[in-house]
Amino acid sequence: MSLGEQIRSLRRKLFGDPARAFGSISLVLLGMLAIAPAKNYFSEWGHYQKGYLKLIRSRADALTLARHFSPGFQQIWLPEMDVVDRCTTCHVALKEPSLSDVSRQPYRPHSPIPHSLTQFGCVVCHRGQGRATTVQEAHNSTKAWEHPMLPSRYLESSCGQCHLGPLLGTPQLNLGRQLIAGYGCVRCHTVMQPDGTRMMASDDPPSLQHIAEKTTRQWIYAWIKNPQAYAASVTMPNFQLSDHDARDISAFLMAQSTPLAAIHNQPAAKGASASPDATAGASLYGESFCASCHAVQNAAGVLVGGDLGPELTRIGSKVKPEWLEAWLRNPSVYDPNTKMPHYRFDPKQIATLAGYLEAKTDSDLLANVHLSEATPDQIQHGKLLVMEDGCTSCHEVNGIKKPENFAPDLSRVGSRSLAVLAFPEGVPHTLPDYIEAKVRNPRAFGPGLKMPQYTFSEQQRSAITTALLSLTDRAQTQPPALRTAAVHESNYQPAGKAGRLMADLRCFSCHAINGRGGDMAPDLSWEGSSVQRPWLVEFLRNPETLRPALIRRMPRFNLTPDEINTLTDYIMIVYQTPAVDRDSLPASSFTPDMVEKGRQLFYSKYACQSCHIVDPNKDKGYIGPALWAVGSRLNAAWVYAYLKNPPAMRPGTLEPDQHLSDAEARSLTAFLMAQKSAKQAGKK
């Protein structure tokens, strides 16, 4: 029988009459309908669900877990974020804390988080392809999906898509943002945040318009060749300049420098020159608490001190003696925007401190720097290099404007397509690996690139990568209601004579007032409601130690009596809170019985001496401020309000809210207001 005849015979058997045709078609349809459940039965996610049921079968809470289990396909849909998330089809135990002893995926429960697991699903934080139903497609890169799940070390970047300010639970993200701002990355790169604001740099690169007043061409040459050779803590990167390029840039910077008349017009110190007395200089350096802002390497090579100002380890090799004395006399003359206060040193103090700092030199730093007189061609080439390398993105230079769009915009770098990236050999083809490799060694991506070499540690590179990965398309396009805005610094400026004094003393470098300023020292927004006027007058005249355990202290600014009164009156009148009536708790309202009751509460019920010192001979608390003279320092009404609700009066304070009753708060206030001095406390 031929093939044609066989086909005709089979057709007659299957479709020879209506009954046979109906039966044949029904069998075909039945087979097709069976494919879907069979496919699900043998699918990956079906395998995981069966494994889960097997896992919980022998557990004590098996019935409860089985009741919570939803078989079949699972999906979370977030239309406002354009997210389809099917991860819970396999990860069936995410919301089962009783399975905390299970470590095997996908049956491990999710660790506690402040969000509902169904509020944002999984891919918003972990990334990956939420629509996928296989492990390979969901977790990894494919031809249709470039971005796999985030490695765990970068997971905090997802928090940064919604939270534009620092969070307690995201130290890597916080550090990365601080580094990007603190190292001036955003001076070259634009980073527009989802709320429409631009990320601003927090570093303080100096103007170079008068650089010849401050230092020498030899030092500039050594500095731009390798900034870290001068100070390991500097934020300026290494541009890997050749000897000739460094020579020409140093020539141009000296040539463009203009004299600063304000320095030369300052009255010279009469009868005082730089003193070589190292002991007196070190003593004055310590008494002025210069280490609160400046670091110096000790004998072991360890940096000791703050980072608000530049490192001073080799300052004598950098600055000219006459410039240093002028700077100590009044820093704002050379740099009107400096964070350093005007100390009002007398000529002898200036000479002593200048001599101490001038002795901090490094003979090796400039030993091999030999520069001949610069030629016009070298100066012109140096100017060209300054423009090409984007030096004026950070520094002010005479005759050169700040460049615009000097480096790529990073506002959406966390969603950048791999197709537009060129990967050097050896770098895995993922976006996190690309970013971290670029931060580690920028010039490996091409010899003609301008990005300089930084000396970030592995942890710092990981933190910067985390922060950059938070800058995604989703962050820019999601509804504003899902964002938590960052707290931006206010533009508050105190007025009048007191305002000018506070600007001269650079109070905002350390203190915050009304949403503006630093965090090195206490917020002064409500200082007038909290302290007593006589104490404030004495403190401004000669600041005392309030926290014995802290190294950083407020320095003595050598203020005149008129200046002290001006500042005191302004603080007492302007910096008040309506929550405290300063006159509502007079001393006459406290009885000896209340003082004794307060003593018992302080030492027994609440054990306040664990953190505070009232009696210097017995108490060992060094966490909080000393309280032996608190009765002469603080206002009773403020103390009462603070004890009732510490976080409301001092946001961020470590002082716990003990939920005191009104009577307890009054008794504790009475006891504390009875503490007038350390000498008095020692007698009790």
Side-chain angles (χ1 to χ4, degrees):
M1 184 182 294
S2 66
L3 179 61
E5 291 174 340
Q6 290 177 351
I7 293 175
R8 285 192 292 273
S9 175
L10 180 62
R11 184 176 180 181
R12 285 194 298 271
K13 290 179 181 179
L14 296 177
F15 303 101
D17 56 60
R20 290 187 181 187
F22 179 78
S24 298
I25 293 173
S26 297
L27 288 173
V28 172
L29 290 173
L30 183 61
M32 293 176 65
L33 290 172
I35 290 175
K39 182 180 179 182
N40 287 343
Y41 184 82
F42 293 106
S43 66
E44 262 188 311
W45 61 265
H47 166 75
Y48 287 128
Q49 289 191 357
K50 286 184 290 183
Y52 176 71
L53 293 174
K54 183 179 178 180
L55 171 71
I56 67 175
R57 191 177 301 155
S58 59
R59 298 181 67 91
D61 56 348
L63 291 177
T64 301
L65 293 171
R67 189 166 59 251
H68 293 171
F69 172 68
S70 297
F73 219 62
Q74 305 298 315
Q75 178 172 288
I76 298 172
W77 181 39
L78 307 172
E80 71 277 11
M81 302 181 73
D82 191 25
V83 168
V84 175
D85 192 325
R86 297 168 177 165
C87 302
T88 51
T89 303
C90 295
H91 295 271
V92 293
L94 290 180
K95 295 189 289 184
E96 299 294 350
S98 67
L99 294 177
S100 59
D101 59 315
V102 176
S103 59
R104 180 162 58 99
Q105 288 286 28
Y107 309 130
R108 190 168 62 197
H110 202 289
S111 56
I113 56 173
H115 299 293
S116 165
L117 291 174
T118 56
Q119 182 181 9
F120 295 109
C122 301
V123 297
V124 172
C125 295
H126 294 276
R127 319 250 175 125
Q129 185 175 188
R131 290 177 170 86
T133 57
T134 67
V135 173
Q136 177 65 26
E137 291 180 337
H139 290 199
N140 304 299
S141 294
T142 66
K143 291 183 179 179
W145 188 264
E146 287 187 336
H147 301 300
M149 286 183 60
L150 275 174
S152 59
R153 66 181 180 275
Y154 304 125
L155 192 56
E156 291 177 17
S157 65
S158 297
C159 304
Q161 295 179 117
C162 299
H163 297 273
L164 307 186
L167 288 171
L168 290 176
T170 59
Q172 278 290 89
L173 175 64
N174 299 342
L175 174 61
R177 286 170 166 171
Q178 290 170 7
L179 291 170
I180 290 171
Y183 278 77
C185 305
V186 290
R187 294 185 183 276
C188 292
H189 297 277
T190 297
V191 175
M192 293 301 300
Q193 300 183 103
D195 62 356
T197 61
R198 180 170 178 167
M199 182 181 286
M200 304 302 293
S202 61
D203 61 337
D204 187 23
S207 169
L208 304 180
Q209 294 173 311
H210 313 294
I211 189 65
E213 303 276 8
K214 181 177 182 179
T215 191
T216 64
R217 183 186 171 197
Q218 286 74 17
W219 184 86
I220 294 175
Y221 174 91
W223 166 262
I224 60 179
K225 277 286 290 180
N226 184 4
Q228 283 69 37
Y230 171 76
S233 62
V234 298
T235 58
M236 179 167 165
N238 190 332
F239 282 81
Q240 300 176 322
L241 299 168
S242 67
D243 291 349
H244 285 176
D245 286 350
R247 175 199 65 191
D248 295 352
I249 291 176
S250 65
F252 166 70
L253 292 178
M254 294 300 286
Q256 64 83 42
S257 178
T258 57
L260 185 60
I263 284 185
H264 300 288
N265 292 338
Q266 285 190 89
K270 297 181 179 180
S273 58
S275 170
D277 188 342
T279 301
S283 177
L284 181 56
Y285 185 90
E287 291 171 0
S288 302
F289 298 109
C290 302
S292 294
C293 297
H294 299 279
V296 175
Q297 289 184 21
N298 61 19
V302 178
L303 277 179
V304 178
D307 58 2
L308 189 62
E311 181 184 331
L312 301 180
T313 305
R314 300 173 180 85
I315 185 68
S317 298
K318 174 183 179 180
V319 300
K320 295 179 178 179
E322 56 272 21
W323 178 90
L324 180 57
E325 292 190 19
W327 175 266
L328 293 174
R329 192 172 299 117
N330 189 352
S332 62
V333 172
Y334 182 82
D335 182 3
N337 297 317
T338 182
K339 294 180 180 179
M340 182 166 168
H342 182 192
Y343 271 82
R344 295 162 169 74
F345 289 127
D346 63 35
K348 182 178 179 181
Q349 289 174 315
I350 292 173
T352 300
L353 192 53
Y356 173 73
L357 294 174
E358 287 169 21
K360 293 183 175 297
T361 61
D362 184 348
S363 58
D364 295 333
L365 184 66
L366 306 178
N368 297 318
V369 179
H370 305 288
L371 300 174
S372 57
E373 186 175 351
T375 67
D377 287 344
Q378 291 173 357
I379 293 173
Q380 188 59 34
H381 182 234
K383 181 177 182 179
L384 180 63
L385 290 171
V386 166
M387 291 189 292
E388 289 180 346
D389 288 335
C391 301
T392 51
S393 294
C394 295
H395 302 280
E396 293 180 358
V397 177
N398 292 308
I400 302 179
K401 294 182 179 179
K402 175 180 173 64
E404 296 183 6
N405 304 319
F406 182 76
D409 190 308
L410 300 180
S411 302
R412 296 175 183 247
V413 67
S415 295
R416 189 163 292 176
S417 171
L418 302 185
V420 302
L421 302 178
F423 286 81
E425 185 177 353
V427 177
H429 282 223
T430 70
L431 186 59
D433 286 303
Y434 174 89
I435 294 175
E436 185 149 359
K438 190 68 178 285
V439 175
R440 180 173 58 251
N441 187 6
R443 303 287 173 91
F445 289 74
L449 296 179
K450 300 297 183 183
M451 184 170 170
Q453 182 66 53
Y454 288 86
T455 56
F456 294 124
S457 66
E458 182 178 353
Q459 180 192 8
Q460 289 175 321
R461 290 194 301 269
S462 180
I464 291 171
T465 303
T466 299
L468 292 176
L469 286 171
S470 72
L471 305 172
T472 64
D473 290 338
R474 178 175 290 137
Q476 295 286 348
T477 59
Q478 67 183 348
L482 296 178
R483 300 191 194 116
T484 302
V487 177
H488 298 290
E489 186 171 88
S490 75
N491 59 358
Y492 167 72
Q493 181 65 47
K497 185 177 179 181
R500 292 191 295 272
L501 265 174
M502 293 171 73
D504 195 41
L505 297 173
R506 299 300 190 266
C507 299
F508 290 100
S509 294
C510 299
H511 297 276
I513 307 175
N514 294 334
R516 176 195 165 200
D519 59 1
M520 184 188 297
D523 190 310
L524 300 181
S525 301
W526 296 340
E527 187 74 358
S529 292
S530 65
V531 300
Q532 299 179 33
R533 192 183 191 285
W535 175 87
L536 183 56
V537 168
E538 182 59 24
F539 183 83
L540 291 174
R541 187 187 69 81
N542 186 23
E544 63 179 346
T545 297
L546 299 180
R547 295 176 181 264
L550 293 183
I551 297 174
R552 294 177 174 177
R553 303 279 192 272
M554 179 167 163
R556 180 177 178 178
F557 290 121
N558 303 303
L559 298 170
T560 66
D562 284 346
E563 290 174 329
I564 291 173
N565 285 327
T566 297
L567 282 174
T568 300
D569 290 341
Y570 192 86
I571 290 171
M572 296 299 297
I573 294 172
V574 176
Y575 297 142
Q576 295 193 47
T577 171
V580 174
D581 178 359
R582 288 191 310 199
D583 301 322
S584 61
L585 282 179
S588 58
S589 65
F590 301 131
T591 66
D593 288 343
M594 292 171 65
V595 173
E596 182 56 33
K597 176 63 175 177
R599 178 191 300 279
Q600 295 172 11
L601 291 170
F602 186 94
Y603 281 106
S604 299
K605 183 174 181 178
Y606 295 111
C608 305
Q609 74 276 15
S610 300
C611 296
H612 299 280
I613 298 175
V614 165
D615 188 343
N617 298 322
K618 297 179 180 179
D619 302 340
K620 304 298 181 184
Y622 286 94
I623 297 175
L627 300 179
W628 54 62
V630 68
S632 300
R633 175 165 62 92
L634 296 182
N635 177 276
W638 169 269
V639 173
Y640 176 83
Y642 183 83
L643 291 172
K644 286 290 291 182
N645 191 352
M649 306 309 292
R650 293 286 190 197
T653 181
L654 295 177
E655 182 83 24
D657 185 353
Q658 302 284 7
H659 303 287
L660 303 175
S661 67
D662 292 349
E664 287 181 325
R666 278 183 172 273
S667 295
L668 268 172
T669 301
F671 170 67
L672 292 174
M673 296 309 295
Q675 312 308 312
K676 300 298 185 181
S677 68
K679 183 177 180 180
Q680 174 198 22
K683 291 180 178 180
K684 294 180 180 179

